[in-house]
Amino acid sequence: MDSVAGRAKEANWVQLLAVGSLFVLIACIVNSVVGDESVPVLSRGKGVCAGDRDLLQKSSLRCRVVNKLAVGFLNGEDWVRCADFTRGAKLLRSRRDEAGDYWYSVSDMHKIAFFYSTCAPSCASSIDTYEPDIASCDHGVCDGGVCRVRNGVALGWYRRMKKKGVGSMFFFGGDSKGDVCVENPKSRVGIQALDRGTSAVEKGGKGGEGQVFYNPEDARQVSLFYSTCHGQCACLDALRSDGDCEVQDEGVRIFFDPVPHAPGDVQGRNGVSRNVLNAQCQVSNSVISRIRTEGKLKGDWRHMTYHASVAHLMRDVYSTCKRHVPCPAE
């Protein structure tokens, strides 16, 4: 019996030693992993990184891209455009980590800053304006700017709807100008985007009375809402008190008045210039002639009007433009 008890004690000691050795081995492995994979300490890189919001990793003198426009573009999102040919863009594309974050060395700050300067969001309409100084907020996180609604038909309808405090499955509106929009499942996502954007701006104490905003990331949804809006003028052109329609799209104005030195005019190495903002509408000369004569088209790339009687011809023009001109869905 004594020998059996002795062997049992000896076995217990062996087991305890084995378990103890295992714990020591695990502790060594964990310590090694933690030492090799230490969590990087990040801080705001203002003055050192390309953007004030970019994060600096002091140990490696690298910056992580936080700029919302740049990240959106690099991730292939369609609501923002940047100059892809810049050295900063090419550099960042080659320095994406496994988590999907983009990094650059502090020494490349100026290249990245130039790339950032080329970025601009694509609002739902070319007549909407991007307001970079009004922060776009999502769940309490504010970054980038907002798009401001300049679409006269949609803006008037939205204001009337909010004033009534109701919505419907059929069209609202129909003022003296005959401007209407349609609320349906397709357009409602855009209306909700306007609700969110305007509410966030108002909570931040920015924006003026009656102004309507949306997050650039919601531009596609807002464009769906715009596609249901129409008035007496072609597409989203504004009807003036004198009965003329004002061309809202800058690209169309440049198409009718393709003068040198207009916005978007670029000169190539061969000395030949082209305008990258020109709407490039593929319409016959006879239609253009009728718009100029019957519609009394007047003005230049800065400001242009036509009579509402030829709105149907202007819609024909808009339907042929290579560069998108927002029009209601037919």
Side-chain angles (χ1 to χ4, degrees):
M1 289 292 292
D2 291 340
S3 62
V4 172
R7 285 197 297 271
K9 288 182 179 180
E10 184 178 347
N12 287 338
W13 277 107
V14 171
Q15 289 176 349
L16 288 173
L17 286 172
V19 171
S21 300
L22 181 60
F23 274 118
V24 172
L25 179 62
I26 291 174
C28 291
I29 293 174
V30 169
N31 184 62
S32 175
V33 170
V34 170
D36 293 339
E37 303 292 336
S38 58
V39 177
V41 177
L42 301 176
S43 60
R44 290 291 183 189
K46 186 175 182 180
V48 180
C49 298
D52 291 346
R53 293 180 178 274
D54 286 358
L55 298 176
L56 173 67
Q57 184 181 35
K58 293 183 179 180
S59 61
S60 63
L61 291 180
R62 295 190 307 158
C63 297
R64 193 179 83 190
V65 178
V66 177
N67 183 290
K68 185 172 73 172
L69 299 182
V71 172
F73 175 77
L74 292 168
N75 287 340
E77 297 177 16
D78 60 4
W79 58 271
V80 60
R81 291 189 176 90
C82 304
D84 199 30
F85 63 84
T86 60
R87 287 186 291 177
K90 295 176 180 177
L91 186 150
L92 290 177
R93 287 194 184 282
S94 66
R95 297 184 183 176
R96 181 178 181 177
D97 63 17
E98 294 180 355
D101 293 319
Y102 297 92
W103 297 82
Y104 60 92
S105 170
V106 168
S107 61
D108 292 319
M109 176 187 72
H110 297 295
K111 297 176 186 175
I112 306 302
F114 178 74
F115 166 62
Y116 286 178
S117 71
T118 70
C119 295
S122 300
C123 294
S125 165
S126 61
I127 62 176
D128 288 354
T129 55
Y130 177 60
E131 307 287 347
D133 296 328
I134 301 179
S136 173
C137 301
D138 183 21
H139 296 93
V141 179
C142 301
D143 189 21
V146 293
C147 290
R148 178 181 171 186
V149 176
R150 296 279 190 175
N151 177 330
V153 178
L155 187 60
W157 180 89
Y158 182 82
R159 287 171 176 166
R160 289 194 302 274
M161 185 188 72
K162 289 303 169 184
K163 189 174 182 180
K164 293 178 180 179
V166 292
S168 82
M169 290 301 291
F170 50 87
F171 73 82
F172 264 88
D175 59 11
S176 59
K177 298 179 182 179
D179 296 341
V180 297
C181 298
V182 177
E183 182 180 355
N184 55 32
K186 182 180 77 169
S187 67
R188 193 171 295 118
V189 291
I191 297 171
Q192 292 169 348
L194 299 184
D195 291 341
R196 290 193 303 271
T198 304
S199 175
V201 170
E202 289 175 348
K203 288 179 180 177
K206 298 292 184 70
E209 183 178 356
Q211 294 179 347
V212 180
F213 303 90
Y214 57 93
N215 191 317
E217 293 170 90
D218 293 327
R220 175 174 290 182
Q221 290 89 331
V222 174
S223 67
L224 292 176
F225 165 55
Y226 284 179
S227 72
T228 70
C229 301
H230 61 88
Q232 292 185 21
C233 298
C235 300
L236 302 176
D237 291 345
L239 182 67
R240 307 193 319 172
S241 58
D242 60 5
D244 281 349
C245 296
E246 190 167 343
V247 178
Q248 297 291 301
D249 192 275
E250 183 181 55
V252 172
R253 297 197 300 268
I254 293 173
F255 166 74
F256 280 108
D257 183 39
V259 297
H261 310 304
D265 190 61
V266 177
Q267 191 171 48
R269 293 181 179 179
N270 56 1
V272 177
S273 64
R274 65 185 182 92
N275 195 297
V276 296
L277 297 182
N278 191 314
Q280 300 179 30
C281 307
Q282 308 296 304
V283 67
S284 67
N285 290 331
S286 62
V287 172
I288 293 177
S289 178
R290 288 184 62 188
I291 292 172
R292 292 189 184 279
T293 54
E294 297 174 26
K296 297 180 173 55
L297 184 73
K298 54 190 175 186
D300 57 21
W301 63 265
R302 299 178 185 86
H303 178 264
M304 188 172 290
T305 62
Y306 61 91
H307 195 269
S309 61
V310 296
H312 63 291
L313 294 178
M314 288 298 289
R315 289 191 187 96
D316 291 342
V317 172
Y318 290 173
S319 67
T320 69
C321 298
K322 289 184 177 180
R323 204 176 138 265
H324 175 65
V325 177
C327 282
E330 298 297 337

